[in-house]
Amino acid sequence: MKKYIIISGLLLLVGCSNGLDTSKLSESQQGEEGFIKFYSAPSVEVAIDALPYKVNLPEQLPFETKGFKSLGITDFGGKGQHPEAQFIAIDEQENNLILSTSTAHQDYPDSNPEKITLDNGYQAFYTAPNGLDVIVKEITYSYTLIMPDLEETQVKDELMKLAEQLSE
């Protein structure tokens, strides 16, 4: 019985790892001295499952697309503790949404973003003409929306709609 409890405890600890799970990822490049590692994922689902945090991809986009694709995961520090994942959705008219997720704190040294409290209660930072960062718990969602046929105010409205889809 004691062995069963010990083994169960070890499995629980392994299953609840707080780091990046690279078992299904392919390492594509390594930065200087292993400080930064880059990984590709065979699918969006594999990329999301590999992360040590939950990711909420928006389901309602401002253009028709076949869904998101993974652009890869960057592991800053090379130890799986601070990964940043990037996803993209594209349509046939050159509209696209790039979404980056990270546990890193965002700084804005060269800009002064507009601070917004969304209807869902989250803090957001709008950077003209097409960027919005939203903080959900300790996760930063960075949206970049490129829609050449829309005015800047319309792009901002669409970014807000995307961010309102976030939940814990």
Side-chain angles (χ1 to χ4, degrees):
M1 181 70 170
K2 231 182 199 184
K3 286 182 183 178
Y4 176 74
I5 293 172
I6 291 172
I7 291 172
S8 296
L10 288 173
L11 288 174
L12 184 63
L13 286 175
V14 171
C16 295
S17 171
N18 288 337
L20 178 65
D21 177 5
T22 60
S23 64
K24 295 180 182 173
L25 303 176
S26 300
E27 188 170 348
S28 54
Q29 290 180 274
Q30 188 168 340
E32 206 171 298
E33 295 181 29
F35 183 70
I36 299 174
K37 294 181 180 179
F38 302 97
Y39 296 95
S40 59
S43 69
V44 170
E45 293 78 17
V46 169
I48 290 173
D49 289 346
L51 296 169
Y53 53 85
K54 181 182 172 191
V55 172
N56 247 331
L57 295 177
E59 292 181 15
Q60 298 174 3
L61 301 179
F63 51 85
E64 292 294 320
T65 180
K66 293 182 181 178
F68 282 92
K69 294 180 181 178
S70 173
L71 290 177
I73 298 173
T74 305
D75 179 10
F76 296 100
K79 298 186 189 296
Q81 299 304 308
H82 302 288
E84 177 183 291
Q86 291 191 325
F87 306 95
I88 189 167
I90 303 173
D91 76 357
E92 295 175 2
Q93 283 76 40
E94 299 181 21
N95 296 311
N96 65 69
L97 171 64
I98 300 169
L99 175 59
S100 297
T101 62
S102 174
T103 57
H105 176 71
Q106 286 285 39
D107 288 325
Y108 305 96
D110 299 328
S111 65
N112 188 18
E114 176 186 350
K115 187 175 181 180
I116 302 167
T117 301
L118 301 171
D119 290 341
N120 56 13
Y122 298 124
Q123 290 294 308
F125 299 91
Y126 173 71
T127 306
N130 61 351
L132 185 71
D133 294 342
V134 183
I135 301 166
V136 178
K137 289 193 175 187
E138 296 178 9
I139 311 304
T140 300
Y141 287 79
S142 296
Y143 298 87
T144 303
L145 181 61
I146 299 169
M147 295 185 73
D149 292 340
L150 295 185
E151 298 292 324
E152 184 179 319
T153 56
Q154 293 171 303
V155 170
K156 181 180 177 184
D157 289 342
E158 292 298 337
L159 284 166
M160 302 286 282
K161 290 176 189 174
L162 290 164
E164 290 292 347
Q165 296 178 50
L166 286 171
S167 63
E168 291 183 36

